Every structure is written in C-alpha cells, then in structure tokens.
C-alpha cells in the first residue's frame, strides 16, 4: 500500500495498476477513532475481488509493524467521483473505507465501509 497525497495543482489522487493507496488526508489504521481510506482500481490484483464481499464478511489488514486489524463489512454506497465527502468523515469509532471504481465505464465510485472488530500483534 502506497501513500496517496492529493495533488492540489492537478486536482488528482495518484493511482496505478499495481498498488492500493492510503489517502493521507485520513487517519492511519488505529483502534480509537476516525476513518482510514484505502483506494485502488477495480482489478482482480487490487480491489476487484471486494465486489464479492457481503455485509458481515471480515477482512484482516496487517500494518508495517505487524499489528493486525480485523474489520467487518457494514455498508456500501455508490457515489460520483466528484463526491469527496468520504475523505472528511470523522466517525467516533474506527472505520476502514475502501474505494474502487464502479459502473459500466467506471463512471462511479463504490465506498465499502468496514467497522473495526479486533486488533492484535
């Protein structure tokens, strides 16, 4: 996972066909509060397989110091690419949000929300 810093001059986020990105304007993975946003293309080697996840399914993410975070899918939402409100949401409990392309010509974005359900070393 690479760090994605918004380019204010170009009004774009970095993205490529080989990496997922952490949106640096959101909180890092934690067990206390706020939201962590990861985004990637809807390709099988990236977030393409998250389309098969259903409410109640869990995922585990391991950070760079081997802390494991378990998240459970709680909801999904489709938005336009211009809807950037997700980057500024500040929930009181830890939330992981995955963003990927959606629609016939990738004209939309799917937001997939996960609640923290566990953490361990």
């Amino acid at each position: 996972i690479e760090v994605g810093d918004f380019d204010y001059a170009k009004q774009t986020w970095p993205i490529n066909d080989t990496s997922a990105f952490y949106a640096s304007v959101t909180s890092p993975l934690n067990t206390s509060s706020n939201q962590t946003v990861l985004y990637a293309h809807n390709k099988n080697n990236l977030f393409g397989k998250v389309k098969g996840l259903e409410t109640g399914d869990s995922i585990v993410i391991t950070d760079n110091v081997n802390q494991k975070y378990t998240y459970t899918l709680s909801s999904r939402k489709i938005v336009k690419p211009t809807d950037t409100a997700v980057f500024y949401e500040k929930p009181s409990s830890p939330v992981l949000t995955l963003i990927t392309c959606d629609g016939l010509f990738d004209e939309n974005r799917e937001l997939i929300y996960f609640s923290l359900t566990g953490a361990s070393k």
Side-chain angles (χ1 to χ4, degrees):
I1 297 175
E2 296 184 41
V3 175
D5 291 319
F6 186 72
D7 184 329
Y8 288 95
K10 295 180 184 176
Q11 294 290 294
T12 60
W13 290 92
I15 195 159
N16 61 44
D17 290 339
T18 59
S19 299
F21 288 84
Y22 156 66
S24 63
V25 297
T26 66
S27 295
L29 295 170
N30 71 80
T31 59
S32 58
S33 65
N34 291 328
Q35 175 177 229
T36 303
V37 173
L38 303 178
Y39 65 94
H41 280 303
N42 179 12
K43 297 185 179 289
N44 279 338
N45 64 320
L46 295 170
F47 284 0
K49 294 181 181 178
V50 300
K51 296 284 187 187
L53 294 175
E54 298 177 2
T55 300
D57 286 346
S58 294
I59 62 171
V60 176
I61 297 182
T62 304
D63 69 12
N64 60 344
V65 294
N66 289 322
Q67 173 80 33
K68 293 180 192 256
Y69 299 87
T70 302
Y71 293 92
T72 301
L73 197 152
S74 55
S75 65
R76 304 172 101 101
K77 179 167 63 169
I78 303 295
V79 299
K80 294 292 180 194
T82 54
D83 184 347
T84 60
V86 66
F87 296 108
Y88 306 103
E89 295 173 3
K90 301 288 185 201
S92 59
S93 58
V95 171
L96 172 69
T97 304
L98 303 182
I99 301 175
T100 194
C101 303
D102 186 73
L104 184 59
F105 298 103
D106 293 335
E107 71 271 18
N108 296 313
R109 300 296 174 263
E110 182 174 22
L111 310 180
I112 307 159
Y113 293 94
F114 294 82
S115 300
L116 182 70
T117 52
S120 64
K121 276 264 182 189

